[in-house]
Amino acid sequence: MSMMLLRRALIYLAATAFAVVPFAAQAPAASAASSTGTLFAITSAAQTLVKIDPSTGAFTQVANLNTPNQPQSTSLVSDPRDHRLFALRTSVTGFDPNTGFPIFLFELLNIDSQTGLVVANPSFTGAVPQTFVFDTSSGTLFGLTQTQVVKVTPATAAITPVANIPNPFGSFIYSMGIDSASHTIYVAREDISGPVGTNTSQVFSIDDSTGAISPALLLDQPVRQIAVDGSQLFGITDCCTFNLVSINSSTGVTTPVASIPSGLIIQFGTGVDPGTHTVFVNVGTLDPNTFAFISSLLSINDQTGAESTNPLTDGIAPEGFAFEAAVAVTAGSIIADLQNALTSGAINNHGIANSLLKKLQHAAAARSGGDCAGAARDYQAFINEVSAQSGKHVAASTASQLISEAQFLIANCP
């Protein structure tokens, strides 16, 4: 098993050493704000993809991801425009006859979030990313191996180095976040090699389009994991009280946002609903009699600090969260997506981009004038051209996104 997964296990075991209190002992909390998308998780034991109602903690099953190899699927992340979820699935496929060590298979699950269908599950070869982020501006999946931030091709699980992360000898916990608007990936590294109470954390900022990496930024207190809401970086503090803090990505200074109730054990995996500024945290308690872990969803408004805790269905622990934000498609947003695709290289021919742009501009003009039939003809012509260029001068994933958006605009004309 990779060192990163072992470190996750170690930090979880260390966390269970803290005292726990029953949920009944806590004061009632305000209900969570209305969601602006869908919160997904994969349950740790059943390996079931579920939707979670943030206001109640109730699960709705989407798909069974289990296999005869009893896999563990982790590091769930969302591509909201294409309704795709990505996760790392780890399975033991056998044992080496010479050493007796298990043989691991690492796959990148590509899941249709609307149907639960696994549309692809290519295998990683060589270095394996243990956590992922998705740049919604460029439509690119990134991962973090032990030493590198890498670009990941979803259909093949091929990785391309983006930036090297300094990885000196020691015990570290890593987490990732991304500000898609500025194409900035944040990598937090927590050093847990010293005595309890001496942990430190550093944050690296990486431009995912150029690979430029900032010098290590030492935070004024350790954080176990990070999350990004818009352009603001947040963290869950570690050792020996847990709080949500905002992080100044220039100075490393942290500012308290909310105190996480005493006795809750923090699990790995956070999610963010940018529409309601809600950070979702995977927490729980231990039953003092059975020592069973009872999992709950902690929702914190990162602007006001308001929080609520809701037990999850049957107390089942999820392997982290992925929030699929609702995507608003407009005549202007599809033009912006086309221009971003040209900038990122997802469209690699300026002549084709200009031809597509003219069709979108004509459609937008017809739409604004109330000519839905004319707009539909222009959008259909756009769809036809994009389809013809898919996999050629327009990346297949980008083509799928643009076609879906154009179809939405045809079906939803005022």
Side-chain angles (χ1 to χ4, degrees):
M1 183 64 70
S2 71
M3 286 300 296
M4 191 176 296
L5 291 181
L6 289 175
R7 289 166 185 159
R8 289 187 177 192
L10 288 172
I11 199 67
Y12 165 72
L13 293 173
T16 62
F18 293 103
V20 296
V21 296
F23 283 112
Q26 299 172 22
S31 60
S34 298
S35 177
T36 59
T38 306
L39 184 63
F40 290 94
I42 298 175
T43 60
S44 57
Q47 289 294 285
T48 301
L49 177 67
V50 296
K51 296 178 182 178
I52 302 176
D53 183 340
S55 63
T56 65
F59 287 171
T60 300
Q61 181 170 328
V62 179
N64 181 9
L65 301 177
N66 215 339
T67 71
N69 291 329
Q70 301 298 309
Q72 288 294 306
S73 299
T74 58
S75 304
L76 194 64
V77 69
S78 167
D79 167 7
R81 288 202 177 275
D82 283 346
H83 298 290
R84 288 288 182 267
L85 297 169
F86 304 103
L88 173 66
R89 181 161 71 185
T90 305
S91 307
V92 176
T93 59
F95 293 87
D96 188 303
N98 298 317
T99 65
F101 292 157
I103 300 171
F104 291 103
L105 173 67
F106 299 100
E107 299 170 281
L108 177 64
L109 296 183
N110 292 229
I111 307 168
D112 185 316
S113 64
Q114 296 181 310
T115 66
L117 179 68
V118 177
V119 297
N121 58 320
S123 301
F124 286 102
T125 58
V128 178
Q130 298 295 337
T131 187
F132 303 101
V133 292
F134 190 84
D135 188 333
T136 56
S137 295
S138 63
T140 308
L141 181 65
F142 294 91
L144 177 66
T145 70
Q146 286 295 105
T147 59
Q148 289 183 321
V149 171
V150 296
K151 184 184 297 184
V152 183
T153 303
T156 64
I159 63 174
T160 304
V162 174
N164 294 323
I165 300 297
N167 190 29
F169 180 79
S171 298
F172 302 105
I173 300 293
Y174 289 91
S175 60
M176 292 180 78
I178 188 167
D179 173 8
S180 292
S182 65
H183 301 287
T184 302
I185 293 174
Y186 296 102
V187 175
R189 185 182 70 196
E190 182 186 9
D191 185 344
I192 60 170
S193 61
V196 174
T198 64
N199 296 7
T200 59
S201 289
Q202 294 179 315
V203 170
F204 303 89
S205 301
I206 299 102
D207 184 322
D208 68 35
S209 59
T210 67
I213 183 171
S214 69
L217 179 68
L218 180 65
L219 304 187
D220 59 11
Q221 61 178 319
V223 297
R224 172 174 298 189
Q225 51 193 308
I226 57 174
V228 178
D229 181 8
S231 60
Q232 178 61 57
L233 180 63
F234 295 89
I236 305 294
T237 60
D238 193 12
C239 195
C240 295
T241 59
F242 301 128
N243 301 293
L244 178 69
V245 297
S246 64
I247 300 172
N248 187 312
S249 57
S250 298
T251 66
V253 172
T254 60
T255 303
V257 173
S259 297
I260 294 176
S262 174
L264 292 184
I265 301 170
I266 309 298
Q267 293 283 82
F268 276 93
T270 58
V272 177
D273 175 358
T276 62
H277 300 294
T278 302
V279 177
F280 300 108
V281 187
N282 188 9
V283 300
T285 61
L286 286 179
D287 185 307
N289 298 314
T290 65
F291 296 102
F293 187 80
I294 303 171
S295 190
S296 292
L297 174 68
L298 174 62
S299 303
I300 305 175
N301 186 298
D302 60 43
Q303 304 299 300
T304 67
E307 57 188 80
S308 63
T309 306
N310 290 290
L312 295 171
T313 297
D314 299 325
I316 296 175
E319 294 285 0
F321 303 115
F323 187 82
E324 183 178 285
V327 178
V329 180
T330 67
S333 72
I334 191 173
I335 290 174
D337 288 340
L338 175 70
Q339 293 169 332
N340 287 336
L342 180 62
T343 301
S344 69
I347 296 177
N348 62 12
N349 184 289
H350 283 269
I352 290 172
N354 287 334
S355 174
L356 293 171
L357 178 60
K358 287 179 181 178
K359 291 179 175 62
L360 292 181
Q361 289 171 335
H362 289 160
R367 186 181 176 89
S368 65
D371 182 7
C372 290
R377 287 192 294 272
D378 289 325
Y379 282 128
Q380 188 58 55
F382 172 82
I383 289 170
N384 294 342
E385 185 172 358
V386 171
S387 297
Q389 294 299 330
S390 178
K392 300 174 183 176
H393 292 295
V394 180
S397 60
T398 299
S400 176
Q401 173 191 330
L402 293 173
I403 290 170
S404 177
E405 292 175 357
Q407 290 171 335
F408 175 88
L409 292 171
I410 291 173
N412 296 273
C413 184

